[in-house]
């Protein structure tokens, strides 16, 4: 499942290739699970809009969209003040990759993969495709001009920017193991099994430790370790375990830097003790019995 660094990598790659482009027409499949907004409404609403920017919010990829072409043109003609207004997002297209979702920028003649649920034709001649074999991904359209749609806000705090105090507060009074707390998306957005295990290793904390028993110093080590690990992983294009690829279909390289995740019985990179694996919160959990206390 893609975690924060993989989603960030995809969002940056897509942004680089489609920012400023215009959606000419959109085609959506008929598998109902994939669509939080009915596919016919998404197709109709996306056509004609300019992609102002693409970015990550939590584990979601958010497309900030301009007004439909005719309206934007009319506003631009009204003069500078209104033209500036037209650059503020008018709508959002929100993509959640789920477990196996891929967002790819291709040429129209590239073979269409099985399980392609959405295709957006762009003015540049490129095509944006959403492919998702297991269909846990979600596509949603929000019209920010309508009264009932609001701009997307991710559940949970952003681990790259959260401060020491707010971080410690998230874990106050929680009796669950720290590993389970890290996985809770309502607390921190985008941390999954890989980066939970890796950050606990770098912070020197055992995954089973009760959250409310961690000292302020330990929580701060964890916050800094998590930020460092996520930043390093983004720099290396994420971790390609199973089938993750970025917007250009390229694999990431952070899996080569893993210290504990899926290294059961291999020697710890610091102390050579075999890495141990336990089940915790229903997930395989990896740690060094010497380096983590
Ligand atoms: Zn060790």
């Amino acid at each position: 499942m893609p975690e924060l660094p993989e989603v960030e990598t995809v969002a940056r790659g897509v942004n680089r290739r489609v920012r400023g482009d215009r959606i000419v027409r959109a085609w959506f499949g008929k598998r109902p699970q994939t669509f939080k907004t009915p596919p016919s409404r998404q197709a109709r609403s996306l056509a004609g809009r300019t992609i102002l920017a693409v970015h990550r919010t939590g584990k979601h990829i958010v497309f900030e969209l301009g007004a439909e072409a005719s309206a934007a043109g009319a506003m631009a003609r009204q003069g500078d003040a209104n033209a500036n207004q037209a650059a503020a997002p008018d709508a959002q297209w929100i993509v959640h990759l789920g477990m196996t979702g891929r967002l790819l920028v291709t040429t129209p003649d590239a073979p269409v993969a099985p399980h392609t649920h959405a295709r957006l034709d762009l003015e540049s001649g490129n095509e944006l495709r959403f492919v998702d074999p297991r269909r846990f991904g979600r596509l949603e359209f929000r019209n920010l001009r309508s009264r009932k749609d609001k701009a997307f806000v991710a559940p949970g705090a952003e681990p790259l920017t959260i401060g020491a105090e707010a971080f410690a507060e998230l874990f106050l009074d929680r009796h669950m193991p720290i590993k389970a707390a890290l996985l809770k998306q309502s607390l921190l957005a985008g941390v999954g099994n890989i980066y939970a295990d890796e950050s606990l290793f770098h912070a020197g904390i055992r995954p089973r430790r009760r959250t409310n028993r961690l000292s302020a110093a330990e929580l701060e080590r964890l916050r800094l370790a998590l930020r460092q690990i996520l930043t390093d992983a983004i720099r290396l294009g994420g971790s390609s375990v199973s089938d993750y690829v970025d917007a250009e279909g390229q694999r990431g390289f952070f899996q080569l830097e893993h210290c504990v995740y899926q290294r059961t019985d291999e020697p710890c990179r610091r102390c050579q003790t075999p890495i141990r694996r336990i089940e915790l919160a229903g997930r395989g959990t990896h740690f060094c019995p010497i380096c983590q206390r």
Side-chain angles (χ1 to χ4, degrees), residues 201 268 270-273 288 290-291:
F201 172 78
C268 171
R270 263 189 213 151
C271 74
Q272 310 304 314
T273 306
C288 171
I290 301 295
C291 296

Side-chain angles (χ1 to χ4, degrees), residues 16 25-26 34 42 58 63 74 81 85 99-100 168 237 242 254 264 269:
R16 206 163 42 235
R25 103 179 59 71
T34 306
Q42 294 201 43
F63 287 68
Q85 271 176 15
M99 289 183 71
T100 54
S242 73
F254 192 70
T264 311
R269 296 195 200 280

Side-chain angles (χ1 to χ4, degrees), residues 3-283:
E3 300 181 29
L4 186 152
E6 293 78 41
V7 178
E8 177 75 31
T9 301
V10 172
R12 286 184 187 182
V14 170
N15 182 58
R16 206 163 42 235
R17 302 196 54 190
V18 308
R19 188 188 181 111
D21 213 336
R22 201 171 67 89
I23 303 163
V24 178
R25 103 179 59 71
W27 169 91
F28 284 77
K30 294 203 159 46
R31 297 286 192 175
Q33 305 94 316
T34 306
F35 306 108
K36 277 185 87 168
T37 311
S40 55
R41 183 180 165 224
Q42 294 201 43
R44 206 171 50 238
S45 306
L46 288 172
R49 291 187 188 270
T50 300
I51 301 168
L52 304 175
V54 182
H55 59 90
R56 176 189 64 81
T57 299
K59 265 177 73 168
H60 293 72
I61 298 167
V62 179
F63 287 68
E64 304 288 358
L65 303 169
E68 284 162 66
S70 53
M75 285 183 90
R77 281 193 295 277
Q78 284 169 16
D80 282 346
N82 286 341
N84 285 341
Q85 271 176 15
D90 192 87
Q92 290 179 326
W93 190 47
I94 301 141
V95 177
H96 190 266
L97 297 175
M99 289 183 71
T100 54
R102 294 178 180 192
L103 201 53
L104 300 167
V105 183
T106 67
T107 51
D109 56 340
V112 177
H115 312 291
T116 298
H117 304 295
R119 297 171 69 176
L120 275 56
D121 295 345
L122 305 177
E123 204 166 50
S124 62
N126 280 334
E127 209 176 288
L128 187 67
R129 295 178 186 173
F130 179 70
V131 182
D132 186 11
R134 296 193 58 187
R135 301 204 303 274
F136 286 100
R138 293 290 178 266
L139 303 177
E140 182 185 2
F141 178 82
R142 293 191 185 195
N143 182 351
L144 303 182
R145 294 284 165 101
S146 103
R147 223 171 284 160
K148 64 182 198 343
D149 284 357
K150 287 203 169 62
F152 178 77
V153 179
E158 167 60 41
L160 286 179
T161 52
I162 189 168
E165 216 166 293
F167 188 84
E169 235 163 68
L170 290 179
F171 300 105
L172 210 67
D173 294 335
R174 287 186 191 270
H175 301 266
M176 61 178 70
I178 184 62
K179 163 79 186 270
L182 283 174
L183 295 179
K184 266 179 103 67
Q185 299 299 302
S186 55
L187 296 180
L188 281 173
V191 182
N193 217 24
I194 299 175
Y195 302 102
D197 281 5
E198 292 297 315
S199 60
L200 285 170
F201 172 78
H202 288 278
I205 298 168
R206 288 231 185 162
R208 270 213 186 98
R209 293 273 306 280
R210 296 281 143 183
T211 302
N212 59 329
R213 303 289 293 275
L214 295 175
S215 68
E218 284 174 320
L219 281 172
E220 182 57 1
R221 280 213 311 271
L222 179 58
R223 182 181 74 93
L224 296 174
L226 187 57
R227 194 171 68 186
Q228 189 61 52
I229 292 292
L230 294 172
T231 307
D232 290 348
I234 291 168
R235 189 168 44 79
L236 292 176
S239 297
S240 281
V241 296
S242 73
D243 55 359
Y244 161 76
V245 290
D246 69 10
E248 280 98 36
Q250 301 295 312
R251 290 167 61 81
F253 292 100
F254 192 70
Q255 68 278 10
L256 304 174
E257 308 282 314
H258 291 174
C259 287
V260 289
Y261 182 76
Q262 287 187 346
R263 293 192 66 241
T264 311
D265 294 333
E266 287 176 48
C268 171
R269 296 195 200 280
R270 263 189 213 151
C271 74
Q272 310 304 314
T273 306
I275 296 302
R276 219 177 267 172
R277 181 186 191 278
I278 55 170
E279 284 278 321
L280 203 159
R283 311 292 300 274

